[in-house]
Amino acid sequence: MDERLRQDLANWLDFYRQLGIEEFYRCTPGSVAPLPATPGGRAVGAHGHAPLPQPSAKPAITETKPAISLAAPVPPQRPEASETARTAPIRPPAPSLSLFETAPPKPSGPETLEQIRADLGDCQRCKLARGRQNIVFGEGNPHAELVFVGEGPGADEDEQGRPFVGRAGQLLNRMIQMIGMKREEVYICNVVKCRPPGNRAPEKDEVDACSPFLFRQLEAIKPRLICCLGSPAVRTVLGIKEGITKIHGQFYDFDNSKALATVHPAYVLRNPREEKILREDFEKIRKFLKGK
Ligand code: SF4
């Protein structure tokens, strides 16, 4: 080895020693080159055939420090908690939920029929909604002394959205006139507000879903007398399961009102001889409203 190369090699070895690298080896041809030393490691090597770098002069330690950058980069430190607290925006405390959980004040006094109708909305609370054309909420005098409750709309009622407008309704109108009243003076509604298919009787789940609206209507109107037309209305309003032909014409208490059961006009249309029952019961209604 000539003197110049020896001197260069000595300079490089001295340079690496100052960096803390103490051991050196030389790769022979065919050997596997080792990986560079780990950061802060103690060994370094070079292929035997690879030329060593040729520094022009012994490098100063300060100049070679970047070579140590083989070390993994130090991850950025999280700011101290206190620093986070300092720099985090100050948010106002969340408002108390109780401000929003408080139910809006209920209007004083009883509900109006308009409010109950609005609450019913486009009702889908039971399966009768699927086959209806119109909800038949009820109609008449919102301050009526006399309220008629049927079981549910028929085809004509479903089509028009009004209660008792078919043949049974015409018979009811005649009965109302018979006792000296006009249809506009009374209120007429049903246990269920949508037509049961095939005019069948409403089923229990349908009555359970819809009857709360009936009771709210009665509460809003506060009539003197409720006339239940047919067995489903009697069962719903009075909870009486006996046959209508046994209990018709009797007065029952319902809150601060009275209730009376009679046969449904549609039943009379199918059984014309039973019109006598209807007439007798309507005469009782007339006397009751006259205070007799
Ligand atoms: S019958 Fe009454 S509860 Fe059922 S969908 Fe009609 S309005 Fe709603």
Side-chain angles (χ1 to χ4, degrees):
M1 183 181 297
D2 72 56
E3 189 55 33
R4 179 182 171 82
L5 182 58
R6 185 188 300 276
Q7 187 58 49
D8 283 344
L9 184 58
N11 286 343
W12 275 104
L13 292 175
D14 188 37
F15 165 58
Y16 282 120
R17 281 193 194 101
Q18 289 184 53
L19 294 178
I21 299 167
E22 302 286 342
E23 296 171 16
F24 302 89
Y25 61 89
R26 186 177 186 218
C27 293
T28 56
S31 69
V32 178
L35 291 169
T38 55
R42 312 297 295 177
V44 67
H47 293 283
H49 58 276
L52 285 167
Q54 301 292 319
S56 56
K58 182 179 176 180
I61 292 175
T62 53
E63 292 172 353
T64 57
K65 272 190 177 174
I68 306 299
S69 66
L70 287 171
V74 178
Q77 298 295 309
R78 288 185 175 205
E80 293 296 323
S82 59
E83 185 181 344
T84 308
R86 269 201 319 274
T87 56
I90 300 171
R91 295 181 185 170
S96 166
L97 281 179
S98 62
L99 288 174
F100 302 101
E101 288 170 347
T102 304
K106 280 191 173 181
S108 58
E111 288 181 297
T112 65
L113 292 172
E114 288 79 10
Q115 288 170 330
I116 299 166
R117 180 64 187 89
D119 187 23
L120 188 65
D122 181 29
C123 185
Q124 306 288 323
R125 292 172 178 83
C126 84
K127 58 184 180 294
L128 293 182
R130 292 198 290 266
R132 73 166 181 240
Q133 290 186 59
N134 289 294
I135 290 177
V136 183
F137 180 69
E139 69 178 21
N141 180 359
H143 309 292
E145 288 193 325
L146 176 60
V147 171
F148 291 98
V149 179
E151 64 181 62
D156 294 324
E157 289 78 14
D158 180 46
E159 190 180 331
Q160 297 185 39
R162 296 178 57 210
F164 284 88
V165 291
R167 288 179 60 226
Q170 291 167 12
L171 176 55
L172 178 63
N173 291 345
R174 286 206 304 274
M175 291 292 135
I176 293 171
Q177 289 169 2
M178 188 189 83
I179 61 172
M181 299 184 76
K182 298 175 184 171
R183 180 176 165 118
E184 307 84 69
E185 292 178 77
V186 304
Y187 193 87
I188 306 173
C189 57
N190 287 297
V191 170
V192 293
K193 316 289 186 209
C194 302
R195 183 192 180 198
N199 289 344
R200 64 161 169 76
E203 295 174 353
K204 183 179 182 306
D205 60 315
E206 297 157 358
V207 172
D208 289 347
C210 209
S211 58
F213 291 93
L214 167 64
F215 291 120
R216 287 166 64 182
Q217 286 172 293
L218 296 176
E219 173 64 23
I221 298 169
K222 295 189 187 323
R224 286 178 62 200
L225 182 64
I226 300 163
C227 178
C228 301
L229 300 168
S231 294
V234 175
R235 275 199 302 274
T236 302
V237 175
L238 298 175
I240 295 174
K241 295 180 180 172
E242 281 186 79
I244 190 76
T245 52
K246 285 187 180 174
I247 61 151
H248 76 89
Q250 300 175 36
F251 288 92
Y252 298 88
D253 288 328
F254 180 87
D255 289 344
N256 294 322
S257 307
K258 291 287 183 184
L260 173 142
T262 190
V263 291
H264 196 285
Y267 171 80
V268 174
L269 291 175
R270 293 193 300 271
N271 305 276
R273 289 182 185 174
E274 306 291 6
E275 187 175 335
K276 182 170 170 277
I277 297 177
L278 204 57
R279 287 181 176 275
E280 289 174 358
D281 291 342
F282 266 75
E283 180 59 21
K284 291 179 180 176
I285 292 172
R286 188 186 68 79
K287 288 181 177 175
F288 175 85
L289 293 177
K290 292 268 185 190
K292 296 179 181 173

